[in-house]
């Protein structure tokens, strides 16, 4: 809870603050900045790595923190194919998922030291542009909010393999813009176009069941 990163349009595209009590003070910009409008960012659980999803190649920029300095790492050997919208680390900082606008819409990296290596694509991909993603706290489930029905795709991880689960019986009513798990991994919220705009699922095993709307 010491650092806050904000992804934004216009240079420097990422702004990082350090918190002292209730005061947030901007740090010096990284010496190497994202190359275009930033859409999302995520810290790993240790606060060592910061990933930034953005609109121009390489589409994902990853920094390593040392003290208050964020230094860009070498780009992954295999990059997202287009405008990146969101990113998320798992709870161990081992996996990094990136969502973007062109097929395959989701890229998942595995970290070893400071190297991020692309895993094989899931055998079933999201059917449209990926806008947001989230791991559950155990790193077992990965949810992807995207632009075509079913608007939410949920994967279960076994080792380095991500396998799509059956769709929830009740789907979001519009384009999925973002998603998040609660700290227990029991609840998944999906933000989307069209009323009711938020859909909340409760997980039982591998089944996600829609709750009554707020």
């Amino acid at each position: 809870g010491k650092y806050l990163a904000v992804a934004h349009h216009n240079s420097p595209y990422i702004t990082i603050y350090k918190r002292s009590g209730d005061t947030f003070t901007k740090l010096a910009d990284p010496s190497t900045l994202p190359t275009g409008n930033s859409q999302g960012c995520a810290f790993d659980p240790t606060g060592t790595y910061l990933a930034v999803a953005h609109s121009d190649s390489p589409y994902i920029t990853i920094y390593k923190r040392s003290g208050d300095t964020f230094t860009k790492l070498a780009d992954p050997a295999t990059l997202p194919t287009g405008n990146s919208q969101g990113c998320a680390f798992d709870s161990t900082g081992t996996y990094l998922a990136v969502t973007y606008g062109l097929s395959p819409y989701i890229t998942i990296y595995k970290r070893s030291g400071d190297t991020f290596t692309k895993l094989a694509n899931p055998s079933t991909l999201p059917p449209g542009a990926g806008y947001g993603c989230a791991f559950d706290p155990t790193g077992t489930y990965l949810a992807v909010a995207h632009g075509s029905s079913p608007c939410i795709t949920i994967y279960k991880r076994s080792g380095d393999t991500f396998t799509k689960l059956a769709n929830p019986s009740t789907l979001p009513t519009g384009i999925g813009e973002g998603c998040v798990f609660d700290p227990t991994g029991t609840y998944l919220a999906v933000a989307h176009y069209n009323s009711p705009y938020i859909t909340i699922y409760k997980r039982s095993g591998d089944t996600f069941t829609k709750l009554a709307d707020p």
Side-chain angles (χ1 to χ4, degrees), residues 9 15 24 26 31 34 51 55 73 77 84 88 111-112 114 118 123 135 151 177 180-181 183 186 208:
H9 285 210
T15 296
F24 290 78
K26 182 185 179 299
S31 58
S55 61
L73 297 180
S84 293
R111 183 182 64 80
S112 176
D114 293 341
K118 182 185 180 298
S123 57
F135 282 95
C151 302
E177 293 285 296
V180 65
F181 281 94
T186 306
F208 288 76

Side-chain angles (χ1 to χ4, degrees), residues 57-82:
S57 183
Y59 305 114
I60 187 75
T61 295
I62 306 168
Y63 297 96
K64 186 174 184 179
R65 183 182 64 81
S66 177
D68 293 340
T69 300
F70 289 76
T71 302
K72 182 185 180 297
L73 297 180
D75 294 332
T78 304
L79 298 173
T81 61

Side-chain angles (χ1 to χ4, degrees), residues 15-187:
T15 296
I16 307 168
Y17 297 94
K18 185 174 184 179
R19 182 184 62 81
S20 177
D22 293 340
T23 300
F24 290 78
T25 302
K26 182 185 179 299
L27 297 180
D29 294 332
S31 58
T32 302
L33 298 173
T35 55
N37 295 336
S38 294
Q39 315 282 352
C41 58
F43 279 100
D44 86 308
T46 70
T48 304
Y49 299 94
L50 170 63
V52 183
H54 51 83
S55 61
D56 296 315
S57 183
Y59 305 114
I60 187 75
T61 295
I62 306 168
Y63 297 96
K64 186 174 184 179
R65 183 182 64 81
S66 177
D68 293 340
T69 300
F70 289 76
T71 302
K72 182 185 180 297
L73 297 180
D75 294 332
T78 304
L79 298 173
T81 61
N83 179 12
S84 293
Q85 301 282 341
C87 54
F89 281 95
D90 82 308
S91 58
T92 69
T94 305
Y95 299 95
L96 170 65
V98 184
T99 55
Y100 48 91
L102 298 176
S103 181
Y105 307 116
I106 180 83
T107 291
I108 306 167
Y109 297 98
K110 186 174 184 179
R111 183 182 64 80
S112 176
D114 293 341
T115 300
F116 289 77
T117 302
K118 182 185 180 298
L119 298 180
N121 291 331
S123 57
T124 303
L125 296 170
Y131 292 109
C133 57
F135 282 95
D136 86 307
T138 70
T140 304
Y141 299 95
L142 170 64
V144 182
H146 52 80
S148 300
S149 183
C151 302
I152 188 72
T153 294
I154 306 168
Y155 297 95
K156 186 174 184 178
R157 183 182 64 81
S158 176
D160 292 340
T161 301
F162 289 76
T163 302
K164 182 185 180 298
L165 298 181
N167 293 330
S169 57
T170 303
L171 298 173
T173 56
I175 293 170
E177 293 285 296
C179 54
V180 65
F181 281 94
D182 83 301
T184 71
T186 306
Y187 299 94

